[in-house]
Amino acid sequence: MDFSIASILLLDGLTNGAIYALLGMAIVLVFTVTRVIFIPQGEFVAYGALTLAIFQTGQVPGTVWLLLIVAAVAALMDLAAGLREGRGAGAALKAGLRTFAAPAVIAAVSAWAAPHGLPLPVQALLTVCIVTAFGPLVYRVAYQSLAGASTLVLLIVSVGVHLAMTGLGLLFFGAEGFRNPPFWDVRFAAGPVNFSGQTIIIFAASAALIVLLWLFFERSLYGKALRATAVNRLGARLMGISSQSAGRLTFAMAGLIGALSGLLIGPTTTVFYDSGFLIGLKGFVAGVIAGLSSYPGALLGALAVGVIEAFGSFWASSFKEVIVFTIVLPVLLWRSLRSGPDEEH
Amino acid sequence: MKLTRTALAAVLLAAFGAAHADITIGVVQPLTGPASGLGIPVKNAIALWPKTIAGENLKVIVLDDASDPTAGVKATQRLITEDKADVIVGSTATPVTIPMADVTAESGTPQLSTAPAGLPPGKDKWLFRLPQSNGVMAFAMVNHMKKQGVKTVGFLGYTDAYGELWLKDFSAVAERNGIKVTGVERFARADTSVTAQALKLTAANPDAILIVASGSGAGMPQKAIIERGYKGKVYQTHAAATRDLMRTAGKDADGTFVVSGPAVIAEQLPDSHPSKQMAIAFVQQYEKAYGPGSRNQFAGHGSDALVVLEKAVPIALKKGKPGTPEFRAALRDAFETMGRTVLAHGVLDWTAQDHWGYTNETGVMLKVVNGEFKVEQ
């Protein structure tokens, strides 16, 4: 191990860490606002990368049809809920249509665009739209009616959603993996370190997203409402913030972050239908290091996970995953010693 | 009244007796689930089998194991107890075929496994494997390395059973031929980066690097090594001998050496290769039925199972009638004693000690040239 090897490993670790950071922050975001431990976050990554890969082959990705089906189910649930609450048929129908409209438009545009072989950025944009649209629908179908349930119940639902999404991924994308073309195909040499254009895009996009999230939470009304919900759900409701729309917005953001992560990671590695779980789990480790509550903590934790992973695979590649997931144990021990038994509110 | 009942029973018995004279072949394959890509080609190849072997009618029953060991065991039990299968073909999913072997051994039914199932010694008395063992493939690879003047090899393989078995088999063959394995690195299919492993391997600068990965998983380590600026030779195993390698590694796959079974590259085989005729016959028949380019490794095993049966059944028929335990035992003995058999996938020679049985004439070395596989002469 000399300086040049260390710098290459560091760059590799930070590149992966930047992706884990995005996922870690999404997991923290979803947990603070809705108390859902969102295990399927990684599936959004795989869906993003693979949807783009299928667009590249000129076919309509299976996720488009899934989006339509899930949107229809969510719309029916909204309709039924509206009727049950006695808000009148017209209002209930309107609520259902509002849920169905955006995904339907996205699905229609995607189905039309797929065989036309549009340029890569356009296909990437469509991919982001499709996967982001899944976010609120997943929340509506799986979590909304359980908003008051305990964290454990929500965790169990998360495991179910994860298994369902992995299985559907196999159905849509097949067992073989895909590698996407890079968005910027150049290489720079800086001493021993070899930057590729994609590395720079990953860093730039991650940094930009983090700044945007910060601006969103600090400056916008919606962001402040989400923060209020995270701090005190009941209090926020009393102030007129709907916890349902907060949940949908949070999940839309989780979908957006997942889709972007998938687009970023697609050109650097082969993504399989089940790759998302392990990537998401590393984001989750980063979130746990941050106690599922602090965004800067998640960022630092994710970068640490990436770097430890890179050095771990250099020194003992057979034990890499063991090393990465063992980091959680001392962190949990330290947290439990510091915080005491009172956790559930 | 009593008389008619007896007559009816006699007629039924005769009918069943006649049905039992057919040779019943139970096929258990993953037709759904994650391994369906492996099982469906086998089923397709079996659908092209003739209706008779050695003058006896064939009754082929295909059941789906859904890539699930429990379903595979259930299907096997059904085929043995209800359909009185004389031989079981399957499964192509290794985790399914291994528990099936317990059922076939207990009932004394020979099993032709289309997966490279590793069983503890003594457990494979009734199990015969149609795929090539890693050792046979490593033999072809090491021979090629010797010709290329390779003295040291770095190993970059999966952290699973496939990687482990290759390391064991390859190291043994390489050592006998004076080739040293200088570095061993691992990665998982789902890993997002193998840069660190590639760094460590290329730093030692071995003459060649062997990548042990399958399908589209072989692309990422290939790219990582080339991106590190490695200039030596890169070898890949027969699990990577598909177009997925070029699809995921692009132009970085160029110049890679890949070992393969002969069936899938029939037309390119040198005339001296013993399997050439069989391989061309298989490819022509299969692609006529399922379209050009549809050939693959697993369909070859389905087609080869017939060749094995056509040789063994006449020998076994001398000792017993189909549907009886004697016939099944005779069939098993025939597999062991029938000797050298040329298949589309190589030359088979099962013995009492060795139920893997391909000879070292089997493996073929390919080189990726401009995104296509070319046979190395």
Side-chain angles (χ1 to χ4, degrees):
Chain A
M1 163 90 36
D2 55 23
F3 175 71
S4 67
I5 289 181
S7 55
I8 296 170
L9 287 180
L10 196 65
L11 177 71
D12 187 52
L14 290 177
T15 314
N16 279 323
I19 305 266
Y20 300 153
L22 291 180
L23 298 177
M25 291 204 293
I27 286 168
V28 169
L29 170 68
V30 170
F31 182 75
T32 48
V33 177
T34 64
R35 292 179 308 121
V36 171
I37 295 175
F38 196 48
I39 294 173
Q41 180 65 40
E43 261 64 62
F44 284 148
V45 180
Y47 274 32
L50 293 171
T51 301
L52 180 61
I54 304 288
F55 267 130
Q56 285 279 306
T57 65
Q59 287 164 327
V60 181
T63 32
V64 171
W65 310 125
L66 180 67
L67 183 64
L68 269 183
I69 294 169
V70 181
V73 172
L76 283 178
M77 285 172 85
D78 271 343
L79 182 66
L83 289 178
R84 204 172 44 235
E85 283 160 22
R87 267 188 286 150
L93 202 63
K94 228 167 113 185
L97 274 180
R98 212 168 36 226
T99 309
F100 188 69
V105 170
I106 294 170
V109 172
S110 306
W112 169 82
H116 283 72
L118 298 175
L120 186 60
V122 180
Q123 292 183 338
L125 186 70
L126 278 176
T127 304
V128 169
C129 290
I130 293 171
V131 179
T132 307
F134 269 114
L137 296 177
V138 167
Y139 175 74
R140 177 64 191 95
V141 173
Y143 296 103
Q144 186 173 308
S145 49
L146 293 169
S150 71
T151 316
L152 181 63
V153 171
L154 294 172
L155 176 65
I156 294 168
V157 173
S158 283
V159 173
V161 173
H162 154 69
L163 290 174
M165 285 183 76
T166 317
L168 289 167
L170 177 64
L171 181 70
F172 295 141
F173 307 115
E176 291 300 338
F178 290 89
R179 199 180 177 114
N180 289 334
F183 290 98
W184 188 20
D185 199 4
V186 287
R187 309 194 71 81
F188 308 98
V193 185
N194 228 331
F195 281 98
S196 70
Q198 190 65 27
T199 317
I200 294 167
I201 291 182
I202 288 177
F203 281 128
S206 302
L209 256 174
I210 290 166
V211 171
L212 278 177
L213 281 177
W214 178 77
L215 283 176
F216 175 76
F217 283 115
E218 293 295 322
R219 297 293 154 87
S220 78
L221 192 62
Y222 278 117
K224 284 177 181 164
L226 283 194
R227 270 171 60 206
T229 317
V231 172
N232 187 333
R233 295 166 60 79
L234 187 64
R237 273 183 87 165
L238 291 175
M239 299 315 289
I241 299 169
S242 153
S243 61
Q244 288 181 359
S245 43
R248 288 192 187 196
L249 183 59
T250 309
F251 271 73
M253 290 171 71
L256 174 71
I257 293 174
L260 285 172
S261 308
L263 294 186
L264 292 177
I265 210 167
T268 64
T269 184
T270 312
V271 180
F272 295 84
Y273 74 97
D274 59 351
S275 295
F277 180 61
L278 213 55
I279 302 172
L281 209 55
K282 282 168 192 158
F284 182 67
V285 169
V288 169
I289 292 174
L292 287 180
S293 59
S294 137
Y295 298 102
L299 173 65
L300 290 179
L303 294 178
V305 167
V307 171
I308 289 170
E309 191 187 8
F311 281 84
S313 18
F314 185 81
W315 276 312
S317 59
S318 324
F319 298 106
K320 190 193 75 177
E321 305 300 6
V322 181
I323 296 169
V324 169
F325 291 113
T326 310
I327 315 172
V328 179
L329 297 180
V331 173
L332 287 180
L333 192 66
W334 173 64
R335 287 209 165 270
S336 75
L337 286 177
R338 237 182 46 148
S339 70
D342 176 37
E343 274 293 318
E344 182 79 10
H345 301 288
Chain B
M1 183 65 196
K2 201 172 181 187
L3 198 73
T4 38
R5 205 182 280 173
T6 322
L8 196 69
V11 168
L12 276 176
L13 203 71
F16 269 94
H20 274 183
D22 295 350
I23 300 175
T24 310
I25 310 217
V27 179
V28 180
Q29 290 294 341
L31 305 179
T32 54
S36 54
L38 287 58
I40 290 168
V42 178
K43 185 203 75 176
N44 287 348
I46 289 176
L48 302 175
W49 284 10
K51 298 272 167 280
T52 58
I53 291 183
E56 302 284 329
N57 281 332
L58 274 194
K59 191 172 152 203
V60 180
I61 305 167
V62 183
L63 294 183
D64 177 19
D65 65 37
S67 316
D68 170 34
T70 321
V73 165
K74 256 192 221 151
T76 314
Q77 275 163 342
R78 201 206 103 170
L79 287 168
I80 289 171
T81 54
E82 286 184 26
D83 302 306
K84 305 274 182 288
D86 294 302
V87 55
I88 300 287
V89 180
S91 161
T92 313
T94 311
V96 182
T97 209
I98 288 177
M100 278 169 60
D102 281 335
V103 184
T104 52
E106 203 174 299
S107 62
T109 312
Q111 178 183 359
L112 294 172
S113 170
T114 41
L119 285 174
K123 280 279 212 176
D124 63 351
K125 190 180 168 205
W126 292 87
L127 179 95
F128 296 81
R129 299 151 183 104
L130 289 166
Q132 298 90 351
S133 71
N134 294 337
V136 162
M137 290 310 207
F139 180 87
M141 194 183 272
V142 167
N143 255 357
H144 186 265
M145 285 178 174
K146 254 170 53 181
K147 272 190 231 156
Q148 299 275 325
V150 172
K151 293 265 176 285
T152 51
V153 177
F155 177 95
L156 179 56
Y158 276 169
T159 41
D160 63 6
Y162 186 63
E164 200 60 44
L165 287 173
W166 252 96
L167 179 62
K168 207 173 108 219
D169 294 335
F170 178 81
S171 306
V173 184
E175 212 168 288
R176 277 204 298 280
N177 287 280
I179 293 175
K180 265 180 65 180
V181 178
T182 51
V184 176
E185 292 297 319
R186 298 303 174 78
F187 69 100
R189 195 188 66 148
D191 277 1
T192 45
S193 158
V194 283
T195 306
Q197 291 94 320
L199 253 179
K200 196 164 177 194
L201 272 185
T202 51
N205 202 22
D207 297 335
I209 289 179
L210 166 60
I211 297 173
V212 178
S214 62
S216 39
M220 185 184 51
Q222 174 86 32
K223 266 186 106 78
I225 285 176
I226 304 297
E227 276 168 9
R228 289 301 322 137
Y230 180 67
K231 295 278 177 273
K233 298 176 175 63
V234 184
Y235 284 82
Q236 294 255 13
T237 66
H238 53 308
T242 65
R243 295 206 54 83
D244 288 322
L245 176 63
M246 287 79 118
R247 185 168 60 79
T248 49
K251 59 183 186 302
D252 286 339
D254 264 8
T256 305
F257 298 108
V258 186
V259 71
S260 164
V264 285
I265 32 130
E267 296 87 349
Q268 286 193 46
L269 288 174
D271 289 332
S272 58
H273 199 283
S275 288
K276 177 150 190 172
Q277 262 188 327
M278 293 298 288
I280 287 190
F282 151 67
V283 166
Q284 281 176 349
Q285 191 198 17
Y286 193 81
E287 300 208 333
K288 198 177 143 212
Y290 301 108
S294 57
R295 70 182 81 175
N296 63 57
Q297 171 97 10
F298 313 104
H301 297 318
S303 161
D304 282 347
L306 174 72
V307 183
V308 169
L309 287 171
E310 279 181 332
K311 191 159 180 189
V313 165
I315 306 173
L317 277 174
K318 288 180 195 141
K319 294 197 188 149
K321 273 179 85 70
T324 62
E326 294 79 42
F327 179 74
R328 296 201 292 270
L331 199 55
R332 194 203 78 88
D333 295 342
F335 288 149
E336 271 182 4
T337 53
M338 65 188 184
R340 194 180 140 92
T341 310
V342 178
L343 304 179
H345 255 308
V347 182
L348 200 66
D349 194 359
W350 282 324
T351 61
Q353 288 78 40
D354 183 9
H355 286 188
W356 287 96
Y358 276 99
T359 66
N360 284 332
E361 301 153 275
T362 298
V364 182
M365 286 307 296
L366 311 176
K367 185 181 185 180
V368 181
V369 181
N370 293 327
E372 297 289 340
F373 286 122
K374 291 270 177 293
V375 169
E376 285 272 289
Q377 302 276 355

